Amino acid sequence: MIMVKHTVHFGAGNIGRGFIGALFSQSGYHVTFVDIADQIISKLNEDKSYEVKLASEEQETIKIENVSGLNNMNQENEVIEAIQDATYLTTAIGPNILPRIAPLIARGISERIAKTNEKLYVIACENQIGATDILKKYIFDNLDDETKGKLEGKVYFFNSAVDRIVPIQDQDSLDVLVEPYYEWVVETEEEIPPIKGMKIVEDLAPFIERKLFTVNTGHAVIAYLGYFEGKSKIHETLEDEAVTSQVRETLKETGAYLVKEYGLNQEEHLSYINKNIERFRNPHLNDMVTRVGRAPKRKLGPEDRLIRPATQAQKAGLSFTNLAKAIAAALLFDNPEDAEAVEIQEMLQEHGPAYVLKNVSGLNEDSEITQEVIKQYEILKKK
């Protein structure tokens, strides 16, 4: 009898299905997706498969099988059982949701270690530095001291960096359109079960910051400048050479910090910047500036893709003028359908940009970055 390997993945959205879950399925695992989206969960249990479509001229498709779904709102016991049988537990659910799922994961881990010594590997696949460390803290907040003491050698927590562009698409289908390129880097010195496409490194910091401050920063800059210029699609925005040049100059600023901090090769990193700009140009993704720019309050957070590289550049004595312009463009993202954008616009109208940068981005009102952002904000507003 062949023993089927199991993984539990929190987040049955497009990234969960089109990236992490797909790689586990292709690696011979049964994937149990956990989500609150009833329609997707029901369809996973009915169809037991879906297709991942690559956004390229060839339109290659990959069939993903051995999948099922559980609703963590009304199937908590089933989720706990699934955690007991899993080799891996992963998430792609958004950093803000991690504290909500942690109590259930903690219950699953508690019951698991009482019954088995099999190892469980926990990886949060989120766009945030140290996301698994954050999830681990939330899980530990829901465990008693006795249980925490039993985790050694049984439950492992690994940070990771993930990179794949997955645009918004038809939610009536389980099929997912994704770009051909992807990167999944996991930090560990342990020997762990191999997963297709997973790259193991001993030090994640250079990989995650390079990705966040090139891919995520670049994508956000395109979105906010594109929105400001009245564009609707990412690839259409990059047809404007002035915007493309602005994006490249911004990424040269983040790159200068990365080169100085991690000793990256300057020419190789410039090639990485240019490669990513070409990824963003992919018309087959048909990606919307409102999707990429959504949740600006989170994206203007102190540790996120715009503010952190600016503060790190300032500390290192490097230029941050173009980053300041990108931050100003983010402040002008007044999409009425985005709750965070609406909140920022209300704050701007009542208190002004310095207040927003202090309360959302953690910047002092008299900081050099704040002053430069306000300067760029006023210039953009006059256009």
Side-chain angles (χ1 to χ4, degrees), residues 24-35:
F24 275 112
S25 172
Q26 291 176 277
S27 302
Y29 282 74
H30 178 93
V31 185
T32 301
F33 288 98
V34 182
D35 207 299

Side-chain angles (χ1 to χ4, degrees), residues 71-299:
N71 189 317
N72 51 303
M73 294 294 285
N74 52 32
Q75 293 182 291
E76 288 192 355
N77 291 335
E78 290 89 339
V79 173
I80 288 167
E81 284 180 28
I83 291 172
Q84 290 174 44
D85 293 333
T87 301
Y88 282 94
L89 187 154
T90 54
T91 76
I93 206 162
N96 296 342
I97 310 298
L98 294 178
R100 299 188 206 170
I101 62 172
L104 182 56
I105 295 173
R107 287 173 58 196
I109 287 174
S110 294
E111 295 201 18
R112 176 193 175 96
I113 62 168
K115 296 177 181 177
T116 180
N117 288 320
E118 292 292 319
K119 295 177 179 179
L120 174 67
Y121 306 102
V122 180
I123 309 172
C125 306
E126 311 289 351
N127 273 325
Q128 180 155 347
I129 295 170
T132 306
D133 289 340
I134 294 167
L135 176 60
K136 180 182 178 180
K137 180 186 179 300
Y138 291 135
I139 291 170
F140 271 51
D141 287 345
N142 288 274
L143 294 174
D144 58 47
D145 290 339
E146 183 184 351
T147 304
K148 290 176 196 173
K150 293 178 181 177
L151 297 189
E152 185 76 30
K154 295 182 181 180
V155 182
Y156 297 82
F157 296 85
F158 303 140
N159 284 309
S160 80
V162 288
D163 184 9
R164 190 172 219 173
I165 298 172
V166 183
I168 286 178
Q169 45 213 286
D170 178 15
Q171 287 301 312
D172 291 335
S173 171
L174 289 177
D175 298 345
V176 191
L177 178 73
V178 300
E179 69 164 332
Y181 175 89
Y182 68 83
E183 185 175 59
W184 185 17
V185 185
V186 173
E187 182 181 61
T188 178
E189 296 180 9
E190 300 286 333
E191 287 279 335
I192 64 175
I195 304 298
K196 173 185 167 68
M198 179 194 286
K199 179 178 181 178
I200 305 297
V201 299
E202 291 184 9
D203 182 12
L204 186 66
F207 290 92
I208 196 161
E209 289 216 328
R210 184 191 68 153
K211 185 265 173 173
L212 281 175
F213 301 153
T214 311
V215 182
N216 294 79
T217 303
H219 223 183
V221 174
I222 298 165
Y224 294 132
L225 291 175
Y227 186 86
F228 181 77
E229 297 290 346
K231 312 287 187 185
S232 59
K233 306 281 178 66
I234 292 293
H235 70 275
E236 289 173 353
T237 301
L238 288 174
E239 289 170 5
D240 184 334
E241 284 307 316
V243 172
T244 302
S245 176
Q246 182 64 42
V247 173
R248 187 175 283 107
E249 291 306 309
T250 307
L251 295 183
K252 283 180 182 176
E253 287 185 346
T254 64
Y257 155 67
L258 293 167
V259 167
K260 186 168 184 177
E261 180 72 11
Y262 298 111
L264 305 183
N265 179 287
Q266 194 163 356
E267 289 305 312
E268 286 178 7
H269 186 69
L270 185 58
S271 296
Y272 179 71
I273 289 171
N274 290 329
K275 179 181 79 172
N276 280 289
I277 290 174
E278 290 310 307
R279 285 173 65 196
F280 301 143
R281 286 188 195 274
N282 185 346
H284 300 286
L285 288 168
N286 206 31
D287 213 354
M288 308 294 291
V289 298
T290 48
R291 182 198 80 83
V292 178
R294 69 185 171 188
K297 194 174 177 185
R298 175 169 61 85
K299 290 181 170 115

